[in-house]
């Protein structure tokens, strides 16, 4: 096992093959406490494979995944994972959907609901406790899904294109909300996106995954103060970051 320097999350020299074909090769990266780190790569480049390894759903052929210095390779339940679809249960209220991770951990329903509801104001969900997912807008459903992810694990969250299904105006509003809430809760977040602008706006750092087999071709530090807004996308700095991403992505 390769031991990397201490970080919140470390992916150390990870490789994975399917049917003799190597998908990702010698991937090493890290996340520090409270960071939002994006993983950018074209479709089929191995991003989801890497997330499945980090979450413990898939065992790598080689390499290791460390959380707070502990080897969690192949162990589920340590890191929360929010898929592209919100996967809210339609027959449960918003409160019960959000409280589900706490109930699964053994808390009784009353305590779990009370704890979940205490976070509703912070996540902009006040007044939705007794509603059902079908009664929420797309943006509100994503807020509920993110809160559920946060309650599953407050260490590290994996977000796999969580905003891709939103229309442009809703996405812009959710981006602003997301940056505001992340500044407060300081959740360490590993974020998959195909949206270059989204990655630059939200991230502290961006890793570029490219090639066959895929490997990290660049690490880009977004050195621009937070909180950020849409005005950032009109700056020369933003354009410079975007040119560098495109250069290393394709």
């Amino acid at each position: 096992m390769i031991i990397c320097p201490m970080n919140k999350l470390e992916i150390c020299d990870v490789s994975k093959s399917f049917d003799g074909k190597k998908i990702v090769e010698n991937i090493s990266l890290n996340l520090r406490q409270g960071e939002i780190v994006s993983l950018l790569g074209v479709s089929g480049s191995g991003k989801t494979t890497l997330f499945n390894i980090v979450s413990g759903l898939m065992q790598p052929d080689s390499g290791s995944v460390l959380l707070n210095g502990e080897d969690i390779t192949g162990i589920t339940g340590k890191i929360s994972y929010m898929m592209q679809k919100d996967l809210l249960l339609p027959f449960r209220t918003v409160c019960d959907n959000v409280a589900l991770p706490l109930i699964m951990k053994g808390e009784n329903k009353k305590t779990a609901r009370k704890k979940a509801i205490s976070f509703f104001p912070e996540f902009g969900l006040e007044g939705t406790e007794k509603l059902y997912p079908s009664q929420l807008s797309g943006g509100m459903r994503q807020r509920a899904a993110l809160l559920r992810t946060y309650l599953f694990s407050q260490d590290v969250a994996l977000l796999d294109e969580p905003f891709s299904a939103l229309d442009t105006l809703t996405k812009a509003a959710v981006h602003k909300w997301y940056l505001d809430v992340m500044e407060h809760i300081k959740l360490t977040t590993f974020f998959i996106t195909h949206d270059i602008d989204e990655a630059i706006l939200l991230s502290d750092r961006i890793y570029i995954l490219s090639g066959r087999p895929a490997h990290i071709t660049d690490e880009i530090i977004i050195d621009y103060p937070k909180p950020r807004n849409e005005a950032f996308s009109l700056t020369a700095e933003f354009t410079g970051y975007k040119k560098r991403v495109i250069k290393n992505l394709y």
Side-chain angles (χ1 to χ4, degrees):
M1 182 185 73
I2 297 174
I3 301 295
C4 303
M6 177 64 73
N7 288 286
K8 188 68 176 177
L9 176 70
E10 302 159 83
I11 301 167
C12 303
D13 206 25
V14 162
S15 296
K16 181 66 179 179
S17 299
F18 293 105
D19 299 324
K21 182 180 180 181
K22 189 163 284 188
I23 305 300
V24 294
E25 184 174 39
N26 302 330
I27 302 294
S28 292
L29 52 84
N30 65 77
L31 281 76
R32 294 182 283 273
Q33 175 64 45
E35 278 192 306
I36 302 174
V37 176
S38 287
L39 184 67
L40 270 174
V42 298
S43 296
S45 61
K47 299 184 300 298
T48 299
T49 295
L50 187 61
F51 263 36
N52 286 337
I53 291 171
V54 174
S55 66
L57 295 173
M58 186 181 292
Q59 188 80 27
D61 298 333
S62 61
S64 58
V65 179
L66 306 180
L67 179 64
N68 297 316
E70 175 191 355
D71 189 347
I72 61 165
T73 310
I75 301 173
T76 59
K78 296 288 188 177
I79 292 177
S80 56
Y81 193 172
M82 180 176 166
M83 306 288 190
Q84 187 172 352
K85 294 182 179 180
D86 58 66
L87 300 179
L88 298 176
L89 300 174
F91 51 87
R92 288 181 181 265
T93 63
V94 175
C95 177
D96 283 347
N97 265 286
V98 170
L100 189 58
L102 302 176
I103 295 170
M104 291 173 64
K105 291 179 182 179
E107 295 194 23
N108 65 62
K109 286 186 178 181
K110 184 176 181 180
T111 302
R113 286 168 175 162
K114 185 176 180 180
K115 186 178 291 186
I117 287 173
S118 71
F119 286 94
F120 272 50
E122 193 169 3
F123 279 73
L125 291 167
E126 274 186 302
T128 68
E129 294 86 350
K130 296 181 180 180
L131 299 179
Y132 288 87
S134 61
Q135 297 174 285
L136 300 183
S137 66
M140 293 296 280
R141 289 173 65 103
Q142 292 305 94
R143 293 185 187 207
L146 184 62
L147 176 52
R148 182 181 60 186
T149 302
Y150 178 65
L151 292 179
F152 179 85
S153 171
Q154 296 177 17
D155 264 321
V156 176
L158 308 180
L159 307 185
D160 190 348
E161 296 196 78
F163 311 134
S164 62
L166 303 178
D167 63 76
T168 302
L169 292 178
T170 301
K171 185 184 285 191
V174 171
H175 282 164
K176 183 179 184 304
W177 164 81
Y178 174 78
L179 285 172
D180 289 343
V181 76
M182 284 298 173
E183 278 294 295
H184 185 67
I185 66 176
K186 301 295 183 183
L187 177 63
T188 306
T189 308
F190 197 16
F191 193 97
I192 283 180
T193 179
H194 284 95
D195 187 331
I196 297 173
D197 287 12
E198 179 175 74
I200 298 170
L201 175 65
L202 300 181
S203 304
D204 296 296
R205 290 183 292 131
I206 299 171
Y207 284 103
I208 306 296
L209 192 65
S210 187
R212 293 183 183 276
H215 56 282
I216 300 297
T217 58
D218 198 9
E219 176 192 357
I220 302 172
I221 300 171
I222 308 299
D223 188 17
Y224 195 89
K226 289 183 176 180
R228 300 171 188 155
N229 56 37
E230 58 275 8
F232 174 40
S233 64
L234 302 177
T235 64
E237 291 94 335
F238 189 96
T239 302
Y241 290 130
K242 190 167 185 177
K243 287 180 178 179
R244 180 171 167 182
V245 169
I246 292 172
K247 178 182 177 181
N248 288 282
L249 190 59
Y250 301 106

